[in-house]
Amino acid sequence: MVKKVAVVVVAVFIGILSSINADTDPADASALNILYTSLNSPQQLTNWKASGGDPCGESWKGITCSGTRVTEINISGLGLSGNMGYQLDKLTSVTTFDISNNNLGNQIPYQLPPNVQRLNLAGNGFTAGLPYSISLMTSLKYLNVSHNQIQGPVAISFGSLTALSTLDFSFNSMTGDLPQSLQSLTGMKNMYLQNNKFTGNIDVLGNLPLENLNIENNQFSGRIPEQLKSIHLQLSGNLFKDVSAPPPPPGTPPPRRPPNQNEKSGATSSSLHSGGSESNGGGGSKSGIGAGAIAGIVISVLIVGAIIALFIVKRRSRKPSADIEKHDNLPFAPPASQQSQGMNSVQSSSTTGTMETPVVIDLKPPPVDDDLKSFDDDDIFVPPVPPPKKVKKGPINAKLYSVVDLQRATDSFSVDNLIGEGTLGRVYRAQLDDGQVLAVKKIKSPFLSNSKDFIDIVSEISMLRHPNVTELIGYCSEHEQHLLVYELHQNGSLHEFLHLLDDQSKALTWNNRVKIALGAARALEYLHEVCSPSVIHKNFKSANILVDMEFNAHLSDCGLASLVHESLDQASGYNAPEVSMSGQYTIKSDVYSFGVVMLELLSGRTPFDSSRPRTEQSLARWATPQLHDIDALAKMVDPALDGLYPVKSLSRFADVIALCVQPEPEFRPPMSEVVESLVRLVEQANMS
Ligand SMILES: *[C@@H]1O[C@H](CO)[C@@H](O)[C@H](O)[C@H]1NC(C)=O
Ligand SMILES: *[C@@H]1O[C@H](CO)[C@@H](O)[C@H](O)[C@H]1NC(C)=O
């Protein structure tokens, strides 16, 4: 008996001890579990576990903690493969993340520790572009992605990265001109861009407080800013004009320039790799051989060559404008100046908790470009392209769940867990075994002919990453069931806020309405202008705008357009006239629907209300003629606001609506312009 009691006491004691021991924040532990399994559970990561465990208490390899939170992850040089999973953004206390010199491939995930100061992803096999989430890492001091195979233009914004002092992009295949937002890097000391394929000039670096700059072996041209001549500068292997000599008079053949060879300013401390050009020059002097005719031919060949070289150089230095022309062919490229204005103005609106406009507009998480074309050709607004190639699918950046998992999590899809029903199916609240609470959307079967289409769609959606786009966490395709698992925003949808809650205390304030409009506008801007090819939402409405506790908007049903057959919801009140008439969905029909949602925010009315007098049933038709009339506006405004709104802000808001709901699609503004106008409204609200 006594013995038994003793055993129990000891057991309880051990239990207490171990529960004290398990002192890692559960969200951190779970993020590391997913990192571990995504890296294929490698032995090198000693003590790591696939589920549960105590990273801080059990000294997991490479993990450093402070209190209960993980603060450092250094798993550099361990021969790791696989990917980083999709939960690193939950590691909010991590300040150092070093996974350099491993064998990771494909793309860097959108989800990264948001408050990281040192981020080292160098020496892997990443090919896709940098995730936009890096633009939001305001604590970042050191960023190293060198020695990968990253392709395409730099599609992140540096506008908020003022703490960044070391940036290493070297030894990749990055292309395009340097983004204008680089000029915001007011703490930048060491910058390494060598061995890429950057073009254009480097003027944007002129005013940075740089100490070291290496831009060797790119295709930069133009002049070297005066300020950079006093720092440690390495610039050989580019196409710079000679800064010390005046440009040759027109018509004079320039000095011979072997392709891709360097010509640099004598005034700089550029490292000298010019041996090659010297010996080439030596080769050229062979043309001095006697026989007149041959010499003549050789000389004329050389002159023609020189003219061609001059022509190429000229074209190269005109590249920026060529790029703008290219953008003009794309749906709605805002002029470069506008973009950078947008950047600056958004910076100061960081109090809104939303994010800024992207700099590069013709880019998206790249690896699925081909796939997107095959996704739904009708939906996508692209210049004519070769027929879609069915090449390898992009990786699915989401977790695969079984039907059994999701049945358990939703109590067999019980009505108690039903949180919404949309066009495409019902949405359930799901509580998973690890405690996570998510939203599960059960796609109605008529929308899907086969599971392969579904997997293609999942792959597309899993590439969409933006703070204002509802994040896809996982999916399930089994037994003819098609389910999508999303993050859950407990606060509900904008539709509920405006039309279902009768609790006056929960009425949205004017500022929150503007904030929600801005968040939703950014989501559409991302789909239309950042994703390439553009993604048309087709089903933009207040019920698809989820609102979190801070009143950030999260747009749902993105990328599901191909499931929406035309004119599903004729009488919804959201459809642009051309959609109602001929089912013509374009990004401009999304802009119209956006205007209708803004009208809902302004008036508190539903877009279509059959209980009202005939002339007032369609919100857009009734409200549009009154949008420029201040007295009419005052009568139209949502009574739930109780008169608490700045009149000026209201009338500017109405001006934006008037632009969006114009009957002619071509007159509706691109979403980036809408975003800009709303940013200004938010700024003014914050000032007063
Ligand atoms: C990570 O560890 C490696 C060697 O184990 C070391 O060289 C590197 O400096 C560490 N990284 C950081 C950020 O501390
Ligand atoms: C970036 O990482 C690579 C690979 O580990 C290393 O060679 C390079 O020195 C690092 N760059 C900087 C600026 O620390």
Side-chain angles (χ1 to χ4, degrees):
M1 188 62 198
V2 175
K3 227 179 178 180
K4 250 189 184 166
V5 170
V7 167
V8 170
V9 167
V10 168
V12 167
F13 194 65
I14 289 173
I16 290 172
L17 264 188
S18 61
S19 71
I20 287 172
N21 240 350
D23 54 7
T24 309
D25 180 275
D28 283 5
S30 142
L32 291 181
N33 294 148
I34 289 171
L35 175 59
Y36 181 59
T37 50
S38 304
L39 294 168
N40 307 322
S41 310
Q43 286 176 347
Q44 304 90 295
L45 293 180
T46 44
N47 297 340
W48 286 54
K49 291 201 174 69
S51 75
D54 180 16
C56 300
E58 298 163 358
S59 49
W60 289 18
K61 185 174 179 69
I63 299 298
T64 309
C65 296
S66 165
T68 62
R69 302 300 308 270
V70 175
T71 55
E72 270 188 54
I73 301 176
N74 185 353
I75 45 178
S76 168
L78 296 174
L80 305 173
S81 59
N83 66 69
M84 289 188 244
Y86 50 88
Q87 287 254 299
L88 296 177
D89 58 332
K90 305 295 186 297
L91 295 163
T92 52
S93 292
V94 164
T95 54
T96 296
F97 186 82
D98 187 344
I99 199 166
S100 60
N101 302 314
N102 284 295
N103 304 317
L104 306 187
N106 263 313
Q107 67 178 38
I108 301 167
Y110 185 89
Q111 298 87 347
L112 291 167
N115 300 314
V116 70
Q117 295 171 12
R118 290 181 66 85
L119 180 60
N120 195 344
L121 308 170
N124 281 286
F126 296 117
T127 50
L130 300 175
Y132 190 74
S133 51
I134 292 179
S135 321
L136 309 174
M137 294 179 175
T138 49
S139 313
L140 197 59
K141 295 177 179 158
Y142 173 97
L143 173 62
N144 191 347
V145 297
S146 69
H147 295 272
N148 282 289
Q149 288 131 42
I150 299 174
Q151 292 161 11
V154 178
I156 63 174
S157 160
F158 297 90
S160 303
L161 305 187
T162 46
L164 193 60
S165 62
T166 300
L167 174 69
D168 193 343
F169 282 174
S170 63
F171 296 91
N172 280 290
S173 300
M174 299 187 185
T175 55
D177 296 355
L178 295 180
Q180 284 303 308
S181 61
L182 281 171
Q183 69 198 11
S184 314
L185 296 176
T186 48
M188 181 53 54
K189 295 206 159 61
N190 309 299
M191 192 182 249
Y192 305 94
L193 306 176
Q194 71 267 27
N195 297 76
N196 277 288
K197 297 170 182 164
F198 287 118
T199 51
N201 62 46
I202 57 168
D203 293 354
V204 66
L205 306 180
N207 289 319
L208 303 186
L210 285 163
E211 290 166 7
N212 293 296
L213 174 64
N214 188 339
I215 54 170
E216 287 180 335
N217 305 319
N218 279 287
Q219 291 153 26
F220 287 118
S221 56
R223 287 175 177 274
I224 293 139
E226 231 20 73
Q227 304 93 308
L228 295 180
K229 293 181 181 167
S230 54
I231 67 168
H232 183 237
L233 177 65
Q234 293 163 278
L235 46 61
S236 63
N238 282 291
L239 305 161
F240 288 113
K241 290 203 186 79
D242 191 334
V243 275
S244 47
T252 337
R256 261 193 320 282
R257 197 193 317 264
N260 219 4
Q261 201 31 279
N262 46 312
E263 184 185 330
K264 59 207 162 306
S265 106
T268 61
S269 59
S270 60
S271 63
L272 297 164
H273 287 295
S274 48
S277 89
E278 236 65 54
S279 58
N280 279 351
S285 69
K286 277 197 189 129
S287 60
I289 313 166
I294 297 174
I297 291 169
V298 170
I299 286 168
S300 48
V301 165
L302 280 177
I303 289 174
V304 169
I307 289 170
I308 291 173
L310 177 67
F311 182 70
I312 289 172
V313 169
K314 276 229 166 117
R315 279 193 65 138
R316 283 233 165 108
S317 54
R318 278 214 326 260
K319 188 81 191 298
S321 59
D323 274 348
I324 289 169
E325 278 160 37
K326 197 176 77 208
H327 286 170
D328 280 344
N329 291 336
L330 284 168
F332 306 96
S337 63
Q338 229 181 348
Q339 286 173 46
S340 54
Q341 260 176 27
M343 296 299 334
N344 295 340
S345 55
V346 192
Q347 240 171 281
S348 47
S349 74
S350 56
T351 42
T352 62
T354 42
M355 52 170 300
E356 32 180 275
T357 38
V359 217
V360 176
I361 44 153
D362 58 344
L363 241 228
K364 71 156 274 151
V368 289
D369 277 3
D370 285 318
D371 302 341
L372 268 176
K373 282 166 206 149
S374 56
F375 174 26
D376 188 341
D377 294 318
D378 293 338
D379 294 348
I380 286 153
F381 226 75
V382 268
V385 282
K389 292 174 284 183
K390 276 279 174 191
V391 288
K392 69 170 171 55
K393 288 285 143 201
I396 295 185
N397 198 5
K399 188 172 173 179
L400 178 62
Y401 290 96
S402 68
V403 169
V404 175
D405 289 341
L406 297 181
Q407 252 168 353
R408 196 167 47 222
T410 57
D411 201 5
S412 299
F413 300 101
S414 76
V415 182
D416 293 341
N417 284 319
L418 185 64
I419 49 176
E421 174 148 26
T423 326
L424 296 170
R426 296 185 157 184
V427 184
Y428 298 85
R429 182 182 183 278
Q431 173 140 26
L432 296 168
D433 291 343
D434 63 3
Q436 265 199 101
V437 179
L438 300 168
V440 175
K441 189 179 199 98
K442 214 167 166 221
I443 308 287
K444 282 189 211 154
S445 46
F447 290 113
L448 278 164
S449 46
N450 64 56
S451 301
K452 207 188 132 284
D453 290 350
F454 180 69
I455 297 299
D456 289 355
I457 290 168
V458 170
S459 162
E460 307 299 345
I461 306 173
S462 76
M463 306 303 292
L464 300 174
R465 298 294 177 193
H466 186 280
N468 297 110
V469 168
T470 316
E471 182 183 328
L472 183 76
I473 307 281
Y475 66 104
C476 166
S477 173
E478 232 180 56
H479 312 303
E480 325 250 299
Q481 299 273 8
H482 300 108
L483 302 128
L484 295 169
V485 182
Y486 286 101
E487 62 178 338
L488 178 66
H489 295 289
Q490 306 265 12
N491 226 349
S493 73
L494 178 59
H495 178 81
E496 289 163 35
F497 263 102
L498 289 175
H499 310 307
L500 300 181
L501 299 175
D502 10 312
D503 183 356
Q504 181 63 25
S505 66
K506 282 194 164 176
L508 291 169
T509 63
W510 178 252
N511 283 353
N512 284 337
R513 288 175 201 235
V514 179
K515 180 173 179 178
I516 291 168
L518 175 58
R522 285 185 161 137
L524 272 188
E525 178 194 37
Y526 170 78
L527 297 177
H528 291 173
E529 298 177 31
V530 178
C531 293
S532 174
S534 300
V535 175
I536 303 173
H537 191 283
K538 275 192 176 181
N539 199 12
F540 189 88
K541 56 182 182 182
S542 58
N544 277 335
I545 299 170
L546 308 179
V547 177
D548 69 18
M549 296 299 177
E550 277 96 44
F551 299 98
N552 296 304
H554 302 266
L555 182 58
S556 68
D557 277 12
C558 298
L560 290 175
S562 63
L563 296 177
V564 183
H565 300 304
E566 57 180 82
S567 45
L568 261 177
D569 238 346
Q570 268 315 349
S572 67
Y574 289 103
N575 284 342
E578 72 275 12
V579 169
S580 305
M581 279 181 326
S582 56
Q584 278 289 311
Y585 287 98
T586 60
I587 60 177
K588 294 294 183 148
S589 59
D590 278 352
V591 176
Y592 183 95
S593 308
F594 180 81
V596 176
V597 168
M598 284 184 79
L599 272 177
E600 278 181 87
L601 282 163
L602 187 153
S603 68
R605 296 189 179 204
T606 53
F608 190 85
D609 187 348
S610 54
S611 69
R612 293 194 183 261
R614 253 196 122 63
T615 50
E616 296 189 19
Q617 288 186 350
S618 158
L619 177 58
R621 221 172 303 148
W622 169 71
T624 309
Q626 315 181 53
L627 286 170
H628 296 301
D629 175 344
I630 298 208
D631 297 329
L633 269 183
K635 289 193 197 120
M636 195 194 294
V637 83
D638 189 352
L641 279 167
D642 235 349
L644 295 175
Y645 56 86
V647 177
K648 224 177 182 173
S649 181
L650 180 75
S651 92
R652 298 229 167 95
F653 198 80
D655 291 342
V656 178
I657 299 176
L659 292 172
C660 295
V661 298
Q662 295 179 90
E664 306 84 356
E666 63 274 22
F667 293 155
R668 296 173 206 146
M671 285 312 297
S672 50
E673 273 175 27
V674 174
V675 166
E676 259 184 64
S677 313
L678 291 171
V679 163
R680 263 177 260 130
L681 274 189
V682 169
E683 276 173 357
Q684 282 153 4
N686 287 344
M687 275 178 335
S688 56

